[in-house]
């Protein structure tokens, strides 16, 4: 890139680019047509080798029955080959799918499924975790600390007694204040 941050200009003109694209597209179309014709010729050649044209005229009943038996054996062989090929393809597809999953796991880009909200009580959760070992019910609300209105009033009184912070600093200053801090395990702080 240029120091100004602009893209460098192409050395080929737009009309030249367009003509090159058109040439590439026509060449690709020709190649596709050629491949299709080659596949058709290969198919005709293969069928000519594997399935020679039938000569039914002028054959006796015994010869026709023998021909039918031969055709049935060939059909059985072809069906076995087809089944083998299908089973190989399905096995390979399954392997490919498993490898893709492994790649996703290693890449860390696996999308987590959305979880549903489930309401489970504490008893059900303990039963699920501990199984038959869990006995009795577990009432979590019974274990909560009960707060009385008197305790709340006492807390308010204690905080209002502290009041002016200057008095507290003056009381803790000097050697006596430090002695009080060590005696009470930290003082007012």
């Amino acid at each position: 890139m240029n120091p100004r941050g602009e893209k460098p200009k192409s050395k080929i003109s737009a009309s030249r680019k367009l003509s090159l694209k058109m040439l590439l597209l026509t060449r690709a179309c020709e190649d596709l047509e050629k491949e299709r014709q080659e596949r058709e010729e290969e198919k005709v050649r293969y069928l000519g080798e594997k399935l020679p044209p039938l000569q039914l005229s002028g054959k006796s009943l015994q010869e026709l029955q023998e021909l039918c038996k031969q055709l049935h054996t060939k059909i059985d062989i072809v069906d076995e080959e087809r089944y083998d090929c299908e089973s190989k393809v399905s096995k390979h597809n399954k392997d490919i799918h498993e490898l893709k999953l492994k790649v996703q796991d290693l890449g860390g880009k696996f999308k987590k499924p959305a979880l549903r909200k489930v309401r489970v009580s504490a008893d059900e959760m303990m039963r699920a975790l501990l199984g038959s070992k869990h006995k009795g019910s577990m009432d979590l609300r019974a274990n909560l600390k009960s707060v009385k209105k008197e305790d709340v009033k006492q807390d308010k009184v204690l905080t209002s007694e502290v009041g002016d912070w200057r008095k507290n600093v003056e009381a803790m200053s000097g050697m006596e204040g430090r002695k009080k801090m060590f005696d009470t395990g930290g003082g007012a702080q």
Side-chain angles (χ1 to χ4, degrees), residues 3-39:
R4 290 184 244 154
E6 297 174 5
K7 291 183 180 178
K9 290 189 177 182
S10 176
K11 295 181 181 179
I12 301 174
S13 67
S15 60
R16 178 74 176 147
K17 281 185 186 178
L18 185 62
S19 65
L20 288 174
K21 277 185 184 179
M22 294 301 291
L23 287 173
L24 284 173
L25 286 173
T26 55
R27 179 67 186 256
C29 288
E30 290 171 1
D31 289 346
L32 284 174
E33 184 65 28
K34 187 177 178 183
E35 284 180 20
R36 189 184 62 77
Q37 287 177 354
E38 287 176 359
R39 271 189 259 126

Side-chain angles (χ1 to χ4, degrees), residues 117-129:
K117 288 185 179 180
V118 178
R119 290 187 178 180
V120 179
S121 68
D123 292 331
E124 291 173 0
M125 194 180 311
M126 292 304 287
R127 256 188 245 117
L129 291 174

Side-chain angles (χ1 to χ4, degrees), residues 88-99:
K88 283 181 185 178
V89 167
S90 64
K91 182 184 176 204
H92 288 305
N93 285 340
K94 193 182 294 184
D95 291 342
I96 288 170
H97 181 68
E98 289 174 1
L99 290 173

Side-chain angles (χ1 to χ4, degrees), residues 56 58-65:
L56 298 178
K59 291 194 174 188
S60 66
L61 183 63
Q62 185 69 24
E63 290 174 341
L64 289 175
Q65 287 177 345

Side-chain angles (χ1 to χ4, degrees), residues 156-173:
K156 287 183 180 177
V157 169
L158 289 175
T159 55
S160 64
E161 285 178 3
V162 173
D164 192 15
W165 60 274
R166 290 185 194 100
K167 291 179 185 174
N168 195 16
V169 171
E170 289 173 5
M172 298 304 270
S173 65

